[in-house]
Amino acid sequence: MKSSERNFARRIDLTSLQLFVAVCELGSIGKAAEREFIAASAVSKRLSDLEATLDTPLLYRHTRGVDLTPAGQSLLHHARSVLFSLEKMQGELSEYADGVRGHVRVHASISAIVQFLPEDLGDFIRRHSEIKIDLEEHLSTEVVRAVQEGTADLGVCNTANGTGELQTLPYRQDKLVLIVPKGHALLAQGAIHFEDTLDHDHVGLHSNSSIYLAMRQAAATVGRTIKLRIHVTGLDAMCRMIHNGLGVGVMPQRAFGLMHGVGELESIALLDGWAERRIDLVARDFSTLPLTARLLVDHLAQQALTS
């Protein structure tokens, strides 16, 4: 951190940030003072000092209350982020007093979460009950970005779109299949190439998901586009949409097997090479991970060997 950055951080008062957010949320210095149990004059003084520190006006003051200046809108965004991080830090640190001996922050794709991680993480927690795992679901591209930026210690996702300078270890493999309503005409073919589905409407996952990106690339390769009826964010929602006639869809075979009772549906094998996928463990440097994270990596890597 540069000297100027350190000096700036020292000049910013967290209480003033909290009061600034309160004023923004309530639109009034007086109401914020009441909520925070502090004199309105004290709130006003802190806000003036904050504006002097930043050398820019943050609020338009008028008889009805206050409005944010463009600089104030920017500060509100960052202030909320800072305060949220502090709350999260407090929550994590308080857990150490309750016996937790380490945290591992894991970001994973929906395919990894649905198909493999519940059993693998459950087994790990039974062996290491003193370790807390914070798991968040994200698109594969966002998982990679979180690891790059240090938001996550460990990522679990499909890495077909690249990981830059990050390190990877093999975790599991999955196979994509086409999901269709029971009795659909495509079932007669047994196994098909994805291009054979392009005359039909599709139910797709998020437009930036690794599965949808692969589908779009496959369609573009043969000079076609996907007849997309709707995007959904979950595999169960995809199954329900397909069951109700909105189209066909692509999802991992094992995930489909776990969707018990979600519509009268059947799967068709895809013959395309991209339908065979690898799910990897991703880290900036596995050797420098905290001990708790390395224990989890070793456990997950061992599951890959025994599965």
Side-chain angles (χ1 to χ4, degrees):
M1 183 182 289
K2 298 178 182 178
S3 176
S4 60
E5 294 173 340
R6 285 196 298 270
N7 291 335
F8 175 77
R10 290 168 181 164
R11 295 198 308 270
I12 297 297
D13 180 81
L14 290 176
T15 300
S16 296
L17 284 183
Q18 290 175 313
L19 292 173
F20 172 74
V21 171
V23 169
C24 294
E25 291 175 346
L26 298 174
S28 164
I29 290 175
K31 291 179 180 178
E34 290 179 10
R35 192 179 82 176
E36 301 297 324
F37 302 103
I38 187 172
S41 59
V43 175
S44 183
K45 175 66 165 58
R46 282 185 173 273
L47 294 181
S48 295
D49 290 345
L50 189 58
E51 289 176 318
T53 298
L54 299 174
D55 196 26
T56 187
L58 301 171
L59 300 168
Y60 297 120
R61 295 164 173 82
H62 48 75
T63 56
R64 299 183 309 278
V66 298
D67 290 318
L68 287 168
T69 67
Q73 292 173 348
S74 179
L75 178 61
L76 177 60
H77 167 75
H78 291 293
R80 282 173 167 161
S81 177
V82 168
L83 295 174
F84 174 76
S85 295
L86 286 171
E87 290 177 2
K88 188 173 182 180
M89 179 178 69
Q90 180 187 26
E92 287 189 5
L93 291 175
S94 67
E95 290 174 342
Y96 284 96
D98 297 330
V100 171
R101 293 293 176 265
H103 281 80
V104 186
R105 297 165 187 83
V106 181
H107 287 200
S109 66
I110 186 173
S111 294
I113 288 177
V114 170
Q115 297 183 95
F116 309 114
L117 286 176
E119 292 79 12
D120 291 348
L121 293 182
D123 184 49
F124 178 80
I125 290 299
R126 285 188 288 273
R127 301 183 187 194
H128 304 281
S129 59
E130 75 284 0
I131 297 176
K132 174 77 176 294
I133 296 175
D134 295 326
L135 176 64
E136 294 185 18
E137 177 194 312
H138 293 280
L139 299 174
S140 290
T141 52
E142 294 173 356
V143 171
V144 170
R145 185 182 304 114
V147 175
Q148 288 172 332
E149 296 175 353
T151 307
D153 300 310
L154 180 66
V156 189
C157 63
N158 175 266
T159 57
N161 294 314
T163 59
E165 296 181 355
L166 298 179
Q167 295 181 359
T168 64
L169 289 172
Y171 173 50
R172 295 296 181 90
Q173 291 184 324
D174 69 1
K175 181 174 177 58
L176 300 178
V177 294
L178 185 75
I179 309 303
V180 299
K182 189 174 182 179
H184 195 278
L186 287 174
L187 286 165
Q189 300 186 43
I192 59 176
H193 287 93
F194 180 71
E195 66 179 280
D196 297 329
T197 75
L198 295 176
D199 290 331
H200 299 267
D201 288 335
H202 275 257
V203 177
L205 289 171
H206 192 285
S207 59
N208 288 325
S209 69
S210 59
I211 292 177
Y212 187 72
L213 290 174
M215 291 166 55
R216 193 170 64 184
Q217 178 60 43
T221 299
V222 295
R224 302 281 301 276
T225 58
I226 300 170
K227 297 169 63 177
L228 185 70
R229 178 71 69 88
I230 186 174
H231 276 299
V232 295
T233 57
L235 300 178
D236 55 343
M238 174 185 282
C239 287
R240 293 183 63 193
M241 293 294 180
I242 296 171
H243 170 70
N244 284 284
L246 273 76
V248 300
V250 175
M251 71 166 58
Q253 185 175 35
R254 189 169 189 271
F256 176 62
L258 295 169
M259 297 287 159
H260 300 299
V262 186
E264 296 183 356
L265 306 171
E266 297 189 51
S267 66
I268 304 173
L270 289 172
L271 299 173
D272 307 79
W274 55 266
E276 299 278 353
R277 306 193 311 161
R278 202 176 85 182
I279 296 176
D280 289 333
L281 306 177
V282 183
R284 284 191 285 186
D285 186 339
F286 288 106
S287 66
T288 62
L289 285 173
L291 174 60
T292 50
R294 279 183 278 135
L295 285 172
L296 178 58
V297 168
D298 291 344
H299 176 79
L300 295 179
Q302 185 62 34
Q303 300 306 306
L305 293 174
T306 59
S307 62

